Amino acid sequence: MNRLQESAFPPRKRQKVSEPVLTDEERLLFNLIRSRENIGIWTGDMKRETNLPTTVVNKSLKTLISKNMIKEVTTIQNKGRKHYMAKEFMPSEEITGGHFYSDGKLDIDYINSLKDVCLKCIFMQKVSTCEGCLEWIKRSGVFNTEVTTKQMEEILQTLVLDDEITQMISTGFGEFASISVGKTCYISKSKGGVRGEKKTADLTSFPCFSCQRMTFCSPDGTISPATCVYYQKWLDF
Amino acid sequence: MVSQWGIKFAVYLITNHFGKIVAKVCENLLNHGALTLDLAIRYTELSSEHVKNSLLVLIQHNCVQAFVAEGGDDDGSRVKTEYMVLFDNILHRLRFPKFMEIVSGDLDDKCAKIFEGLLRDGRLNMKQMVDRESQGKENAAAAAAVRESLLKLLMARYVERCPLPEARVVEREIITKKRGAKGAQNFKAPETKEQRVIEAAVRGDMIRFSLNADIGCNSDGETNPADTSVAETDAKEDLILWRANFEEFTRHLRDKALVENVRARMDDGAAIVLSAILKATRNKDKEVKIEKSVPLPPDTIFSEVIKTENGRTMTIDRVKAALVQLGCSNQMLYEYVVDLKHIIRWARNEEVESIVLKRYGRDAYRMFRHLSKENQFCPTDKLADATLVEKKEAPKLLYKLWKENYLHMEKLSVTGGNTKPVSILMWKVNQPLLWEHVLDEMYHGALNLKLRMASEQEKEEEIINTPKAKINESVPLLKKYKRLQNVLLLLGSSLMKLDDAIMLFHDF
Ligand code: SF4
């Protein structure tokens, strides 16, 4: 997994090697690319900013690549565009998409399995922290890639948004005894079995709440409750 | 102003109960606001006879209040009575079974029977109640028994004296009333015209819940009751009309909703304590939509808690812990106040979120929850990042939510250097607007349920009209009959649950 290896290393410092001899155009272009650091720059923007003709730009880019000074990167926003960056920089999250992106695509399967493991960990331990989950994952050996702290934080945040876990601050007492006071920790929501008890939409299987055609539905329209297929299914005893 | 589907739903209920003509008058009042008789006739294009009778029906059933607006620019010589429709009271008609349940659970059968009569007929005087009770019985029901039941109903505030037949409202009245020194500090939303009319018509608590005929009839109240003869008292009593006090039931249901929400979110202990606080302060809050509970010292709370069976298991420390859980403030003054508004808000949020989850799926749910937590504009990419939603999918989902009024969107044009401007979409949850929208959808949903009930009944009319004995004989008929029963039961119970949610967004 290329993505994981990359994100596991911090951006490298500029290498202090003696710079190869370049033409004026090549130097101009290289300086521009390098000035964009870990964001890089699109060929269209290069042309506009340097006012160099397309052929010159293309030729110079080729030279710079062959001299191992720049590299081409895929950007999440526009996969079709040719985007370049100085060799010494790691593409920023803006370019790659973030921690869980590989080749400009979100790795949903990976995310979901991470979520499952975290949920299990928090449920079993009653209460856990980001480090606790990381430790659990390491010991479980489910993943052969290393999960970073940042990734774990993101996973836990989405689980909070999923309403699967609750974020708390440890009081150091009772069930929080194992966690030092004031530390952010997480508890499982399914534990108490009270999840969603008061939500009407969950209490009834009444179809209009899950219906995306409500705006088109009216008593005497083509879509109406009297003829509605969702109702038909619902009332099929 | 009532929302579009709210009006449709209310008109449907009135059509169902009182027919098309009354509904037409009602619809015009809902759409145009208060109208004079002349205007009502003009808008409805009905005969004056029809309009007048419709208004009388609506007044009888507490769905319309008459009032006279005083003051204004002219000298007041040509003031005319206006009629204002009371939307809330129309919707309460849907809740009669819930009200009935509360009364039967609390008081005896006789009271329940009298109360049922009041719900059915809207307004009744003592004589009518006695007559109703005597119907089909050999010896007439003793007036004393009816009086006793009514007294119980009044004590519990389930029944009240009807408001003034014609309220007087001063136009451009200074509406910010002082509600004690504390109240003045809180900003209060300006009252609507409807609220003002209702407030002007309502009688003082003393009169409102008093059976005594002398109070209210004699404005000076100087005549000694002993001086008046029995016949006179009876005659006076017949002038007084009684009706169900919807406000009390709304409060009752509100308290129940609050307690149940706290139970679901926290635990039984917190629920017991909140329930005790609400019980101890009953009738102290003037309105249903209150923000905070009335301040109470811990001793009062504790003695109320131990009145209940479950509460007796709690120690003072547990009660205190529950109070902390409830986020009680003001411990410094040794008085506790619960932020009820907060509980209501939380419950509303939960409802909205669960609709988003059901309708738009988990990714949308996460983004929506993130936005409502942040409570500020957030650009698409950042939102997708924070919720781990595929960047290509996020805009599609957000657009859908925006199109159906669940999100607020703003386009930002960003220019950087000499690159051409890029537009960034920013998203936000606009809670007050969203709640209005969700409420409107709930009215729509409730109407759909009602319409489906009607169409199911229509489809199976044959069965409804077949005698029970005949149905029992034939297997296919019996099957159909059973199905219809199940269908109606499911639709009915769903409607009641949906109505709980409607009350959460509209009445509490
Ligand atoms: S009646 Fe049917 S089509 Fe109409 S809103 Fe409900 S589920 Fe959707």
Side-chain angles (χ1 to χ4, degrees), chain B residues 2-37:
Chain B
V2 184
S3 64
Q4 183 206 359
W5 285 102
I7 292 180
K8 284 190 186 156
F9 184 46
V11 171
Y12 183 83
L13 289 176
I14 293 294
T15 316
N16 237 343
H17 294 170
F18 308 114
K20 286 212 167 90
I21 293 175
V22 179
K24 191 158 187 199
V25 175
C26 178
E27 186 174 7
N28 274 283
L29 290 177
L30 280 165
N31 280 322
H32 295 108
L35 295 176
T36 58
L37 183 59

Side-chain angles (χ1 to χ4, degrees), chain A residues 207-208 211 214 217 223 225 228 230-231, chain B residues 448:
Chain A
C208 297
C211 175
M214 202 163 195
C217 174
I223 304 178
C228 166
Y230 304 113
Y231 264 78
Chain B
N448 284 350

